[in-house]
Amino acid sequence: MSENNNVLSKKDINQVLRRYVLSRQTCFNYETMQSGPWVWSMHPAMKKIYQDDQVLTEKYRSYFKFFNCHPWFGQLIMMATLAVESTKDEHATETALDVRTSLMGPLAGIGDSLLFSVVRVIAAGIGISFALQGSILGPILFFLIYNGCTMAFRYSLG
């Protein structure tokens, strides 16, 4: 393992996260799902870790396989993957792919159930109770609660 643990700066990590947030649902296809945006997002950091283009090509071939996770929890997996890659260990990519594969299912389930089921139902219940009394606050509260919670999750995970 490499002794230099500070390969990536905060600026590099923010650039990767910004790219992932802007592209995570683009280029979605049934063969690789979200792998295209994943590889594009990782590129600035991977280029800094591995300067050799031939090595990068091989690593990107490994990463351009099936990946599907809840969009907001996928960035946690990306950061764990970059942490493993930044060690520059000869088996770093294999380990990072194992981490990615093992976390994408559970985090997708947590994200989908927590954000798209629980928060929406609670916000709808609060909004409906006001709407049934004839108050215009019902739909407004639903909108504010649901979007407020999802925005809080979105930005706290990034």
Side-chain angles (χ1 to χ4, degrees):
M1 228 182 340
S2 175
E3 292 297 318
N4 184 4
N5 292 331
N6 296 325
V7 176
L8 300 175
S9 67
K10 180 110 172 129
K11 182 180 175 185
D12 298 326
I13 292 170
N14 284 336
Q15 183 180 18
V16 169
L17 284 173
R18 199 170 29 257
R19 289 180 101 167
Y20 183 70
V21 166
L22 293 173
S23 69
R24 59 188 163 207
Q25 290 292 91
T26 60
C27 303
F28 197 89
N29 64 62
Y30 290 110
E31 183 180 353
T32 62
M33 295 287 183
Q34 299 166 334
S35 288
W38 175 280
V39 171
W40 181 75
S41 299
M42 286 182 66
H43 179 69
M46 293 290 282
K47 186 76 172 163
K48 191 169 182 181
I49 296 169
Y50 305 103
Q51 286 81 26
D52 185 15
D53 286 340
Q54 187 66 28
V55 172
L56 275 175
T57 301
E58 290 304 314
K59 292 195 179 286
Y60 290 158
R61 278 196 186 115
S62 299
Y63 279 112
F64 207 83
K65 293 188 170 101
F66 181 82
F67 177 75
N68 187 25
C69 188
H70 187 278
W72 303 340
F73 283 82
Q75 56 206 30
L76 297 174
I77 300 171
M78 181 169 286
M79 292 303 105
T81 302
L82 283 177
V84 172
E85 284 288 356
S86 67
T87 63
K88 295 185 182 182
D89 185 30
E90 64 180 288
H91 302 291
T93 302
E94 294 168 22
T95 305
L97 285 169
D98 290 342
V99 167
R100 183 176 104 150
T101 303
S102 63
L103 287 178
M104 75 176 160
L107 287 179
I110 290 170
D112 290 346
S113 63
L114 190 72
L115 295 172
F116 293 144
S117 299
V118 175
V119 173
R120 187 179 307 172
V121 170
I122 291 171
I126 293 170
I128 288 170
S129 68
F130 278 91
L132 286 174
Q133 297 170 6
S135 175
I136 189 68
L137 280 176
I140 294 170
L141 279 175
F142 169 74
F143 179 78
L144 292 175
I145 292 169
Y146 182 67
N147 287 323
C149 289
T150 55
M151 295 304 257
F153 273 107
R154 182 180 298 177
Y155 290 112
S156 68
L157 294 176

